[in-house]
Amino acid sequence: MTENAQQEPPAPITELPTQYAPADVEGPLYERWVERGYFEADAGSDKPPYTVVIPPPNVTGSLHLGHAFEHTLIDALTRRKRMQGFETLWQPGMDHAGIATQNVVERELGKEGKSRHDLGREAFIERVWQWKGESGGQISGQMRRLGDGVAWSRERFTMDEGLSTAVQTIFKRLYDDELIYRAERIINWCPRCLTAISDIEVDYQEDDGELVSMKYGEGDDTIVVATTRAETMLGDTAVAVHPDDERYKHLVGKHIRLPLTDRSIPVVADEHVDPEFGTGAVKVTPAHDPNDFEIGRRHDLPAIAVMDEHAVITAHGPFQGLDRLEARSAIVAALRAEGRIVAEKRPYVHSVGHCSRCKTTIEPRLSLQWWVKVAPLAKAAGDAVRDGRVKIHPQEMEKRYFDWVDNLHDWCISRQLWWGHRIPVWYGPNGEIVCVGPDDEAPTGEGWHQDTDVLDTWFSSGLWPFSTLGWPEQTESLAKFYPNSVLVTGYDILFFWVARMMMFGLYAMDGTPPFHTIALHGMVRDQFGKKMSKSFGNAVNPLDWMDKYGSDALRFTLARGANPGVDVPIGEDWVQGSRNFANKIWNATRFALMNGATVEGPLPDASAMSSTDRWILSRLNSVVAEVDAHYDDFQFAKLSDALFHFAWDEVFDWYVELSKTTFQAGGEPAEVSKRVLGEVLDVTLRLLHPVVPFVTETLWTTLTGGESVVIADWPADSGFRDADAEREIGTLQSVITEVRRFRADQGLQPGQRVPARLTLDGTALAAHESAVRQLLRLQPEGESFTATATLPVAGVEVALDLSGVIDVAAERKRLAKDLAAAEKEKAQATAKLGNEAFLAKAPDHVVEKIRTRLAKADEDIARITSQLDRLPGA
């Protein structure tokens, strides 16, 4: 903790403003927390560690609702652990985002009429760092607005000097262990970004294309193949059939003419071919298809590249210089002219890979790249979950994890970019290859040069849990805070990031996994369950809602929708409802302070408390236990809902209301209830703090005079339970609720007073008559009292005199009219649902709508009939 943390706390606020204004509170409070060092982590502390890393957002962007959602969950976890006495580290930082960042800066250069090549590599990198310095602070500011309790002094960036050392170190170790190699393989190539990208950076979508069937060979040697990429036929070096396919046995081993070229190609037999699919024959283009590449390796076929990095045809002939799509049409036309087109299907919907960054269609391409041999690393990552060293939550997500790590292909890690960690390999004039570690001298002399490629962004972010703590140095922080306690992240990057961290963490840290638990959450969607996107017009800037309703309101809404591994719908009206909850907490605490609620001194003995006091303390301890259980199970929605209903329904709507008569009466019972109310609010505000930190900080420091709820103790279940008091107050609630419902049914105004006789003698509710009358607006019975309606509820009888209060005849007439309308609605709906002809023709949604109308009519009839039966004189 910083020196500022030792300063005297500010004088407690003795009064609260009449209204809560988040904009006036949040910014100053957050800066005070940071100045006092509450979020910093001391590696030398003897407290048990609790570590979480922030999934580093891309430096190019700003926080969207998905970030706000994830940050809310992590902040809630770390704030609670800090209150529980853990040395808590929430590690902040950002990712350099190689492709995305380079694209942004190149676009900026384009506005100046320049390209990166005009600047040269060093000047371009300098320009990127300049852009990062100007734009990188946006995310930090948004994190502060949200209330992120991160250790700002430890903030890291994946291109920092220390992290660069970590990258170079692990590359060298993997290379020396023959787990990194250079080879020519088929890669996913983006003709727009001009770089290789990994399998997980390819987004597949159903596109409208064409399926063209065409004849190769002549006469008896004719064979038909089909393709969606006709332009690649220029690079065909074989046709493959299944070895057992009798239709083509006479062709296997022969050479047939490849149309539009001067080449002939062999027919080979390969078990990869499915004889039941299409014609049972496939064209083989080893330089432009991963499966064809493997067939080519098995049969020693040449690989002929026919496109350059821009996906422009390079094959000699009339198609040279055409874009791949232009060439596709031209080649099909040329084949058609030769009479070689057997069939054409348009549109042909099929799955096509697109670059996840720029959405350009991916081009499989043979290329010399650097690869990680993942088999042993992936096996270790799978074993760590299988043997229980790492838990995945929710557990049903384990299958997705295993499906991925058990079937990983080698990882292409080189990128043809300038922004990123440059591959630490030098090439000599005579074909020498030297991998250089951080402590090694790079070779010098004529003809030596460094590899021009950089590493995949996920390579450096895969080191995040330990590189941020100083690895490869054996630092005090690394010893204290590794492994992480939990990783909180979206299921969408389970493969991108989580698997990478597992592989690298186990490898670099001698078999110790990077975290104990992987807690996966879903994606934020709009209130209709639709994915949020600028193109859909439903994307929301979280700052807009924070400006309008306060950060606590946004946080509480997000947490209340967070069921493990499930997508989270959110709408503005829900955020508004959470703002109302914050206002409710504010107003209730303000009322309590005005009525003398206090936290001074020990709680009175239970024997001195009323049953209402014992009830709320019993419920309070149950909620403490419930919230703890939900936190330990990452059930943020359940714990938020439990706190919402306890605070609003039980504390504010029941206990505060029931205590009003006690406060008015004064005396020792009032003093006891003031202390109980103070205790309940103290604990409730501490329970709420991790999710709604700003409003609870203001209220808790005002109520208790404490320095900060951030460093207050997390509430513990004292074990106090009082089942008798809970039953008694439960009965009282039933009576009040039922009478309120009856009053509403009769059209009485909430404040309208009604003469009543309460038969409470001999029941547990006898001591509550004053509270019952006050809450139900029931005045004492007079001499002319006539019981026109009697309500027996839970062993208690409440007799009401409604004469002179309502016009019984008019009310009966109104209800009779409503009943007739409901019965008519029921008859119409019943008739339609009984009409077989209608049911046969009507769409399902129309039939369902009529069933809903029928159910509603039945409910209305039951409700109105009950109201009529309860009218005086019925």
Side-chain angles (χ1 to χ4, degrees):
M1 191 171 289
T2 65
E3 291 182 6
N4 285 335
Q6 307 302 322
Q7 296 174 354
E8 287 297 317
I13 305 169
T14 55
E15 292 185 8
L16 291 170
T18 55
Q19 290 186 320
Y20 176 49
D24 297 338
V25 170
E26 294 175 351
L29 269 187
Y30 187 84
E31 291 310 313
R32 188 188 309 163
W33 292 335
V34 172
E35 287 168 7
R36 293 181 175 178
Y38 292 156
F39 305 139
E40 295 303 326
D42 180 5
S45 164
D46 58 2
K47 295 179 182 178
Y50 187 81
T51 317
V52 186
V53 294
I54 193 171
N58 287 353
V59 69
T60 53
S62 59
L63 294 189
H64 51 64
L65 267 182
H67 290 119
F69 171 55
E70 186 168 79
H71 288 207
T72 294
L73 305 187
I74 300 173
D75 197 40
L77 289 174
T78 52
R79 283 178 182 270
R80 172 176 175 256
K81 285 296 181 180
R82 191 176 292 112
M83 296 171 74
Q84 286 182 318
F86 285 76
E87 193 63 41
T88 303
L89 169 61
W90 183 10
Q91 173 67 53
M94 284 181 282
D95 192 282
H96 67 278
I99 296 176
T101 303
Q102 181 156 319
N103 283 346
V104 168
V105 178
E106 286 197 82
R107 281 198 298 270
E108 294 298 312
L109 284 174
K111 295 175 185 176
E112 302 170 15
K114 298 178 182 178
S115 74
R116 60 179 161 127
H117 300 285
D118 294 323
L119 272 65
R121 186 167 191 141
E122 287 188 13
F124 177 75
I125 296 300
E126 187 177 327
R127 181 70 176 261
V128 179
W129 277 108
Q130 179 186 341
W131 176 88
K132 188 262 181 185
E134 295 168 354
S135 304
Q138 182 179 2
I139 290 175
S140 297
Q142 291 170 320
M143 290 169 62
R144 284 173 156 84
R145 281 291 312 277
L146 192 63
D148 286 4
V150 299
W152 286 112
S153 69
R154 294 172 173 266
E155 186 175 12
R156 304 305 299 268
F157 180 55
T158 49
M159 291 284 286
D160 284 349
E161 183 179 347
L163 272 67
S164 295
T165 298
V167 167
Q168 197 173 352
T169 299
I170 201 163
F171 187 100
K172 170 72 170 170
R173 291 187 186 179
L174 289 164
Y175 180 86
D176 289 346
D177 287 344
E178 298 183 349
L179 293 174
I180 283 183
Y181 64 94
R182 193 176 189 225
E184 200 171 38
R185 300 277 188 274
I186 292 288
I187 48 92
N188 303 299
W189 181 264
C190 176
R192 159 63 185 80
C193 297
L194 297 179
T195 182
I197 62 175
S198 65
D199 292 344
I200 55 177
E201 292 171 303
V202 179
D203 292 336
Y204 286 92
Q205 64 185 49
E206 298 296 309
D207 284 0
D208 287 344
E210 61 181 5
L211 181 66
V212 178
S213 299
M214 48 198 180
K215 289 189 296 184
Y216 286 8
E218 308 290 347
D220 291 340
D221 292 346
T222 297
I223 194 165
V224 176
V225 297
T227 183
T228 59
R229 300 164 66 221
E231 68 278 10
T232 63
M233 61 86 59
L234 299 174
D236 286 358
T237 56
V239 171
V241 298
H242 194 275
D244 299 331
D245 196 328
E246 294 293 336
R247 293 172 295 176
Y248 303 117
K249 281 200 170 180
H250 69 288
L251 290 177
V252 174
K254 286 188 175 183
H255 280 68
I256 59 175
R257 178 174 173 258
L258 179 65
L260 307 182
T261 71
D262 295 327
R263 294 189 291 117
S264 63
I265 57 176
V267 177
V268 299
D270 195 281
E271 292 189 352
H272 169 76
V273 180
D274 181 0
E276 303 298 324
F277 184 76
T279 64
V282 297
K283 59 191 286 298
V284 182
T285 321
H288 291 280
D289 184 273
N291 293 322
D292 293 3
F293 176 76
E294 296 300 329
I295 293 175
R297 285 174 49 155
R298 287 193 289 272
H299 298 277
D300 199 25
L301 300 173
I304 302 174
V306 297
M307 277 179 263
D308 67 11
E309 66 269 24
H310 297 281
V312 171
I313 300 298
T314 56
H316 183 71
F319 311 108
Q320 188 174 13
L322 295 180
D323 171 82
R324 57 183 165 170
L325 298 182
E326 296 172 332
R328 183 176 300 171
S329 299
I331 287 171
V332 170
L335 289 168
R336 192 183 298 115
E338 286 192 4
R340 290 188 173 276
I341 298 297
V342 175
E344 296 178 70
K345 185 176 182 180
R346 295 187 187 87
Y348 178 72
V349 179
H350 62 133
S351 181
V352 177
H354 295 261
C355 173
S356 62
R357 302 295 181 189
C358 70
K359 310 309 176 187
T360 300
T361 300
I362 289 300
E363 190 61 48
R365 184 169 186 251
L366 186 63
S367 182
L368 183 62
Q369 303 283 347
W370 285 95
W371 303 80
V372 172
K373 187 184 296 181
V374 301
L377 303 174
K379 181 181 184 303
D383 290 345
V385 174
R386 287 190 170 95
D387 64 24
R389 282 175 290 157
V390 178
K391 305 287 186 186
I392 293 181
H393 191 279
Q395 191 173 1
E396 54 265 28
M397 287 285 181
E398 281 186 2
K399 183 180 184 304
R400 294 181 64 175
Y401 177 79
F402 292 134
D403 286 345
W404 179 255
V405 298
D406 292 348
N407 297 286
L408 268 178
H409 300 296
D410 283 1
W411 173 19
C412 177
I413 55 172
S414 44
R415 299 290 179 266
Q416 289 64 56
L417 304 170
W418 287 356
W419 173 244
H421 295 281
R422 197 162 172 182
I423 289 177
V425 171
W426 270 255
Y427 304 104
N430 299 311
E432 303 96 330
I433 299 178
V434 176
C435 181
V436 176
D439 299 324
D440 301 331
E441 290 289 333
T444 58
E446 187 176 349
W448 283 93
H449 64 279
Q450 186 178 357
D451 196 301
T452 57
D453 289 351
V454 300
L455 288 164
D456 178 10
T457 296
W458 297 103
F459 190 96
S460 52
S461 59
L463 315 181
W464 194 246
F466 51 93
S467 64
T468 52
L469 297 172
W471 186 92
E473 297 299 321
Q474 297 304 306
T475 64
E476 189 178 30
S477 289
L478 188 65
K480 177 74 173 181
F481 296 114
Y482 186 92
N484 285 198
S485 306
V486 61
L487 173 74
V488 179
T489 192
Y491 62 69
D492 58 323
I493 58 172
L494 180 62
F495 317 130
F496 285 83
W497 190 45
V498 179
R500 308 299 195 220
M501 287 189 289
M502 286 285 284
M503 291 191 295
F504 283 165
L506 288 158
Y507 173 80
M509 299 301 292
D510 300 320
T512 302
F515 18 74
H516 297 301
T517 302
I518 301 168
L520 298 171
H521 60 72
M523 304 297 101
V524 176
R525 297 182 177 271
D526 71 13
Q527 59 188 317
F528 305 108
K530 190 174 183 180
K531 180 180 178 180
M532 284 193 171
S533 164
K534 289 181 180 178
S535 60
F536 294 154
N538 63 350
V540 174
N541 183 342
L543 287 177
D544 293 341
W545 282 352
M546 286 192 278
D547 288 342
K548 196 169 183 180
Y549 303 110
S551 299
D552 284 334
L554 176 62
R555 290 171 59 115
F556 193 71
T557 305
L558 291 166
R560 206 171 175 197
N563 291 296
V566 178
D567 289 346
V568 183
I570 185 173
E572 184 170 1
D573 54 338
W574 303 343
V575 185
Q576 185 175 353
S578 295
R579 188 272 313 275
N580 295 343
F581 179 52
N583 288 341
K584 185 79 169 179
I585 302 169
W586 182 273
N587 292 333
T589 306
R590 187 168 177 272
F591 165 85
L593 289 168
M594 291 170 60
N595 283 274
T598 179
V599 296
E600 295 297 324
L603 275 175
D605 189 78
S607 61
M609 297 180 189
S610 68
S611 56
T612 310
D613 294 330
R614 296 195 306 277
W615 160 73
I616 198 63
L617 288 175
S618 180
R619 288 292 305 126
L620 177 68
N621 280 287
S622 295
V623 169
V624 169
E626 182 181 359
V627 168
D628 275 334
H630 289 324
Y631 262 117
D632 292 342
D633 198 33
F634 304 102
Q635 296 283 356
F636 296 97
K638 290 182 178 178
L639 72 89
S640 299
D641 214 45
L643 286 170
F644 174 87
H645 287 295
F646 175 70
W648 191 307
D649 298 345
E650 298 187 80
V651 179
F652 306 149
D653 279 358
W654 283 107
Y655 182 71
V656 168
E657 292 300 318
L658 289 169
S659 298
K660 284 180 179 178
T661 53
T662 305
F663 293 153
Q664 289 168 1
E668 186 59 27
E671 295 306 312
V672 170
S673 291
K674 289 174 185 178
R675 179 64 188 88
V676 170
L677 179 54
E679 180 75 10
V680 171
L681 286 175
D682 170 21
V683 173
T684 302
L685 291 170
R686 282 186 280 149
L687 288 173
L688 282 165
H689 174 73
V691 181
V692 284
F694 294 107
V695 67
T696 51
E697 170 79 342
T698 305
L699 296 176
W700 187 85
T701 53
T702 304
L703 174 70
T704 68
E707 179 183 342
S708 173
V709 70
V710 176
I711 55 173
D713 291 336
W714 180 252
D717 176 7
S718 71
F720 176 80
R721 300 290 191 279
D722 192 323
D724 291 338
E726 290 197 37
R727 277 193 297 272
E728 180 178 324
I729 302 304
T731 302
L732 178 63
Q733 290 171 326
S734 297
V735 171
I736 292 172
T737 300
E738 184 61 27
V739 176
R740 280 176 173 167
R741 184 181 297 116
F742 176 75
R743 286 176 57 107
D745 287 345
Q746 304 311 314
L748 296 178
Q749 295 300 313
Q752 192 170 358
R753 302 193 70 81
V754 178
R757 177 191 301 132
L758 305 181
T759 309
L760 303 177
D761 291 344
T763 73
L765 302 189
H768 298 284
E769 179 166 351
S770 178
V772 171
R773 287 190 177 277
Q774 182 165 314
L775 291 173
L776 291 174
R777 303 297 188 268
L778 303 179
Q779 63 190 42
E781 56 191 288
E783 292 183 3
S784 59
F785 177 84
T786 303
T788 58
T790 302
L791 303 176
V793 186
V796 172
E797 189 173 274
V798 180
L800 304 174
D801 183 356
L802 301 179
S803 56
V805 178
I806 61 172
D807 185 334
V808 176
E811 184 66 10
R812 187 177 296 282
K813 185 176 180 181
R814 181 185 70 80
L815 291 172
K817 182 179 178 182
D818 291 347
L819 181 62
E823 288 173 337
K824 181 180 179 181
E825 175 75 1
K826 178 179 180 178
Q828 291 175 341
T830 302
K832 284 190 175 182
L833 293 174
N835 185 333
E836 294 296 335
F838 169 78
L839 293 177
K841 295 179 181 179
D844 290 345
H845 73 276
V846 172
V847 175
E848 186 58 35
K849 187 175 180 180
I850 293 171
R851 288 195 178 110
T852 301
R853 284 170 49 195
L854 177 60
K856 176 67 165 54
D858 281 333
E859 290 176 8
D860 289 344
I861 290 169
R863 174 179 55 79
I864 297 167
T865 301
S866 175
Q867 290 176 243
L868 282 166
D869 290 343
R870 288 180 168 187
L871 279 175

